[in-house]
Amino acid sequence: MPDLSHSGATKADMRAAVLAGRRSLAPAELIAAAAAVTATLTELVRESAPRLVCGYVPVGSEPGGADLAAVVRAALGADADLLLPVLRGDNDLDWARYAGTLVPAGRGLREPDGERLGLGAVAGAELIVAPALAVDRRGMRLGRGGGSYDRALARVPAGVPVVALLHDGEFVDRVPEAAHDQRVTAVITPAGGLVRV
């Protein structure tokens, strides 16, 4: 991963550096990283036993790998639900239950094909698993720039754990922030495991 510690970096600079670093990861590195991150996440889900989790479906080299939804679903109890995002035309996130099937959606995304539960469905989650490009020691999250997850996380009640999955080197001292940016409460990296912030 590139050095992300430069304090004068803009969000665009940091996004470009992280995305370049992710593109440089070899397939074997991505597989090993996904296995490590999902093992830690599985342990967290089993220990906390949430009844409702909101997750995401990684694309490309995003941490967690293509099978992240299936791994989380398998870690949940039989009476628990996993909701996954459905990107709306306005870049906000609707939610649908994951029942084992994902269908192709716009922008190269995959999403559940079930009933849409509305923007507010995220507010009922007991655990949120969020994507991020980087997170700093204060829990400030750098996303891809569309604001989708910042809007969704703003609907989550205080005290609900929000965990970002990262590659090694993406948990940094500081990320640039704006007033609308939402924090996470923990990160999971392949080498560092679960770190609460």
Side-chain angles (χ1 to χ4, degrees), residues 112-137:
D113 58 358
E115 174 189 358
R116 303 309 187 239
L117 303 173
L119 303 178
V122 68
E126 296 174 1
L127 174 66
I128 311 286
V129 181
L133 293 177
V135 173
D136 71 21
R137 310 282 178 211

Side-chain angles (χ1 to χ4, degrees), residues 4 28 64 67 107 109 138 182:
L4 302 177
D67 296 328
R107 302 185 193 181
L109 301 173
R138 305 165 301 148
Q182 299 293 311

Side-chain angles (χ1 to χ4, degrees), residues 10 24 43 65 91 101 140 164 168:
T10 66
S24 75
E43 186 177 315
N91 274 352
T101 303
M140 191 56 64
D168 291 327

